[in-house]
Amino acid sequence: MTKEQERYLERFAEFEKGAPANGQSWLRPIRRAAIARFSELGFPTTRDEDWRFTSVAPIAQTPFRLTRDERVTLAPRALEQFAFPGLDCSRLVFVNGRYAPGLSALRPLPDGVKLASLAQVLAADRDLLEQHLARYADYHHDAFSALNTAFMEDGAFVHIPRGVVLQEPIHLLYVSTATAAPTMTHPRNLIVAGEESQATVVEDYVSLGGEVYFSNVVTEVVVGGSSVLSHYLIERESTQAFNVSTLRVQQGRSSSVASHTVLLGGALVRNNVHPVLAGQGGDCLINGLFMATGRQHMDNYMKVEHASPHCDSRQFYHGILDGRSRGVFHGRIIVHKDAQKTDAKQTNRNLLLSEEAQIDTKPQLEIYADDVKCTHGATIGQLNRDAIFYLRSRGIPEESARALLLFAFAGESLQRMKVEPIRKHLEGLVTQWLPQGKLLEEAR
């Protein structure tokens, strides 16, 4: 066992001593099984095929500590910058991994809808959780999911009963603040959408300081038959932060899921998206935009499993890389033996803005059925010189022309996001990120 693994075992022993006992005894064997599995797996290395382009040594070698004993007081106005203008919705706020009721805002919800922190539900409603929590995220084979499962204590719980349609999105805001030493949090989210329901959930990860910390997130989503769910992941943390997020989706018959991701911050970011189309006639959209500069490293791992017949999936991921940053896209489509009449498409497009930026892209198909339609493709390039020349010939300065083309490239991903206030807010964040952002605002 490595020194890093021993350090996490020590942290777990401390965590288990302070874990609430009332109503949570059923979790103890799950947590212990998860930490035991982590001790066997260890951190992944570049010798592991799914991690061949990403070294997690900066995470493994940093002595992170838990934040559970710290209490941080924030004024509500400190979070105003993270709100979506023009959108009134229920919002759960978590500060350094712990629910902050004073900063949260719960609007009236339809009967039967449950929106609460996981810590509250763990203590009060075991029956609702036990049938889903830790049933889908694969901690037996993934070290980071194992760590999250071992340390899971708080996060968001969303339950939408059968037939309920939520008109407003649910906003889950995770805020990290300045701390005296590197810290780690393990948010655990569980979203259960009953049959014939509709909802939109936004996970938003932000920083109020520039310190080093590690956020290791697992979100399990269960979507019942004929339901429609849109999930957004927005990561705009400090450029010193480490973020590993795993979205595991279990889809029922004729369900529809859209996963939208925008990655802008972080020193090392790993984004795992793993939907399983377990019911016949389901469809999913996996749409993402990642933008890196400096020495940022952003790794996107998509694994779409077609387990039933007559299911459709679409993947569209765009990357923009500047400075000495590095991006990774590894997309797998797995079509199981019984998943006949599958229709799957995967597209990854990337722009490199500097000679030192780098992208590794690996589209992959594994097909075990014989009546399917599957395609994949990837492109890597720079801004089109002819397009720049065309805009310049219309009187647009070169820098403004470059800004317009970059925004149009990013906008292809943003336009697939149907909630207008969220899309408009993300357009503003993308504009601020672009090197010619001010010129773009003037041109628009």
Side-chain angles (χ1 to χ4, degrees), residues 270-310:
R270 168 78 171 204
N271 168 41
N272 302 302
V273 180
H274 181 190
V276 176
L277 292 105
Q280 183 172 334
D283 69 83
C284 72
L285 166 67
I286 301 178
N287 174 51
L289 173 66
F290 57 101
M291 305 172 70
T293 188
R295 292 181 174 272
Q296 287 180 283
H297 185 109
M298 294 184 176
D299 184 342
N300 299 276
Y301 178 67
M302 310 291 111
K303 182 179 178 181
V304 179
E305 290 193 63
H306 286 259
S308 293
H310 297 281

Side-chain angles (χ1 to χ4, degrees), residues 50-302:
D50 291 344
W51 293 85
R52 61 180 295 192
F53 302 117
T54 299
S55 170
V56 300
I59 296 176
Q61 295 171 3
T62 303
F64 295 105
R65 60 183 181 81
L66 295 170
T67 62
R68 63 185 309 171
D69 296 327
E70 295 184 2
R71 292 292 183 269
V72 178
T73 302
L74 293 178
R77 64 177 178 273
L79 305 182
E80 292 177 356
Q81 59 183 309
F82 306 123
F84 302 112
L87 181 63
D88 293 325
C89 61
S90 293
R91 181 172 71 171
L92 297 187
V93 177
F94 299 82
V95 178
N96 294 336
R98 299 185 68 85
Y99 178 53
L103 299 173
S104 302
L106 298 179
R107 293 171 55 82
L109 295 170
D111 291 342
V113 175
K114 192 171 186 64
L115 174 60
S117 80
L118 188 66
Q120 294 173 331
V121 184
L122 282 172
D125 205 336
R126 167 182 173 177
D127 293 339
L128 197 56
L129 289 181
E130 195 170 5
Q131 58 184 317
H132 296 299
L133 187 64
R135 300 290 185 184
Y136 306 102
D138 187 9
Y139 69 82
H140 296 287
H141 298 93
D142 179 65
F144 288 100
S145 291
L147 271 182
N148 178 282
T149 303
F151 288 99
M152 66 176 172
E153 184 177 26
D154 209 350
F157 175 69
V158 182
H159 181 260
I160 306 157
R162 177 174 182 165
V164 172
V165 177
L166 292 184
Q167 302 294 340
E168 300 172 344
I170 292 172
H171 187 194
L172 311 177
L173 181 62
Y174 286 87
V175 183
S176 294
T177 65
T179 55
T183 58
M184 63 177 176
T185 59
H186 300 274
R188 186 63 170 243
N189 303 308
L190 177 61
I191 302 167
V192 181
E195 294 182 356
E196 300 176 355
S197 64
Q198 295 183 32
T200 297
V201 180
V202 183
E203 290 183 46
D204 200 354
Y205 295 86
V206 303
S207 301
L208 288 178
E211 286 71 23
V212 176
Y213 65 87
F214 172 36
S215 181
N216 179 33
V217 187
V218 171
T219 299
E220 293 178 300
V221 180
V222 185
V223 184
S226 302
S227 293
V228 179
L229 181 76
S230 294
H231 179 274
Y232 291 75
L233 172 67
I234 306 171
E235 189 277 324
R236 39 177 164 163
E237 296 173 294
S238 156
T239 53
Q240 299 297 314
F242 302 111
N243 184 294
V244 177
S245 64
T246 298
L247 174 65
R248 172 64 171 86
V249 183
Q250 187 78 2
Q251 291 190 230
R253 184 184 180 93
S254 300
S255 63
S256 179
V257 171
S259 165
H260 303 286
T261 302
V262 176
L263 308 179
L264 300 173
L268 191 160
V269 177
R270 168 78 171 204
N271 168 41
N272 302 302
V273 180
H274 181 190
V276 176
L277 292 105
Q280 183 172 334
D283 69 83
C284 72
L285 166 67
I286 301 178
N287 174 51
L289 173 66
F290 57 101
M291 305 172 70
T293 188
R295 292 181 174 272
Q296 287 180 283
H297 185 109
M298 294 184 176
D299 184 342
N300 299 276
Y301 178 67
M302 310 291 111

Side-chain angles (χ1 to χ4, degrees), residues 8 58 65 162 169 254 291 349 351 367 410 440:
Y8 277 89
R65 60 183 181 81
R162 177 174 182 165
S254 300
M291 305 172 70
R349 299 174 60 199
L351 283 179
I367 302 174
L440 178 60

Side-chain angles (χ1 to χ4, degrees), residues 22-42:
N22 294 337
Q24 295 191 29
S25 58
W26 64 278
L27 271 182
R28 186 170 296 130
I30 297 175
R31 287 170 172 155
R32 288 180 175 176
I35 197 64
R37 187 58 182 148
F38 170 75
S39 69
E40 296 170 358
L41 292 170

